[in-house]
Amino acid sequence: MSTRSPLPFDPIARAAEIWAERVGPATTMAAVTSVMRVQQILQSAVDSALRPHNLTFARYEALVLLTFSRRGSLPMRVMGDRLQLHPTSVTNIVDRLEQDGLVRRVPHPTDRRTTLVEITDEGRDLMEKATEAVTAIDFGLAGITERQTQQLTELLGKVRHAAGDF
């Protein structure tokens, strides 16, 4: 994943030591800094796996969301809600996917004010290939067991819930 040599020490642990000496308790600082660093590591791994498919994680998530829907289509507003994105970001994602022939905009059958985004056969095929790529690398999450991964998800879920994410 990284092309540089690993450091001979954990810089976050070292920063926590200095923080504790100069500022005070470092537990939260070290945890948050670790989460931020892991996010960078995971993003890099996933980006590398998706790059050959000409996808970003945001566009990949949109394709997955559409394939998970009952009809292979969703209103753009619903996509934004589910992906937790601003409407402008959803529009940009859909624009790019549409340019690549992976989705198409179609009128809603009963609500003229609503536009549906529908995944194409090409979009389904690409989503399946991209899924193989990201699952082959476990989305970049290495070094922990299946149970630890479940615990991590549960712990991060608690933070997300406390922040009003769901």
Side-chain angles (χ1 to χ4, degrees):
M1 291 191 217
S2 177
T3 56
R4 64 174 178 75
S5 298
L7 293 173
F9 63 94
D10 180 348
I12 295 173
R14 180 66 183 124
E17 291 170 10
I18 296 168
W19 185 280
E21 291 169 8
R22 297 183 185 178
V23 179
T27 306
T28 304
M29 181 281 298
V32 170
T33 304
S34 293
V35 167
M36 298 294 202
R37 178 62 185 132
V38 168
Q39 188 276 335
Q40 293 171 336
I41 292 166
L42 298 177
Q43 189 73 51
S44 176
V46 170
D47 285 348
S48 293
L50 293 174
R51 191 172 296 114
H53 304 285
N54 198 30
L55 289 173
T56 62
F57 189 64
R59 292 195 298 264
Y60 171 71
E61 278 188 306
L63 292 175
V64 170
L65 178 64
L66 290 169
T67 62
F68 284 0
S69 68
R70 280 181 237 150
R71 294 184 175 90
S73 65
L74 289 169
M76 288 183 66
R77 178 191 51 75
V78 172
M79 288 182 69
D81 290 346
R82 301 272 167 79
L83 296 172
Q84 299 173 307
L85 294 172
H86 188 275
T88 303
S89 296
V90 176
T91 299
N92 290 335
I93 290 166
V94 170
D95 284 349
R96 180 64 190 268
L97 291 171
E98 190 173 39
Q99 288 170 8
D100 292 344
L102 305 173
V103 301
R104 65 180 148 259
R105 287 177 169 93
V106 296
H108 192 284
T110 60
D111 183 354
R112 292 184 339 192
R113 299 166 297 167
T114 302
T115 298
L116 297 175
V117 178
E118 181 178 76
I119 191 164
T120 63
D121 290 341
E122 294 84 3
R124 284 182 193 282
D125 291 344
L126 185 62
M127 190 282 303
E128 288 175 13
K129 290 175 186 165
T131 296
E132 289 174 15
V134 294
T135 57
I137 62 158
D138 288 330
F139 285 84
L141 194 59
I144 60 177
T145 66
E146 177 76 18
R147 178 64 192 132
Q148 290 168 329
T149 301
Q150 292 169 351
Q151 291 172 324
L152 177 62
T153 302
E154 291 167 13
L155 290 170
L156 294 174
K158 291 176 185 286
V159 174
R160 293 175 47 234
H161 186 264
D165 200 33
F166 65 96

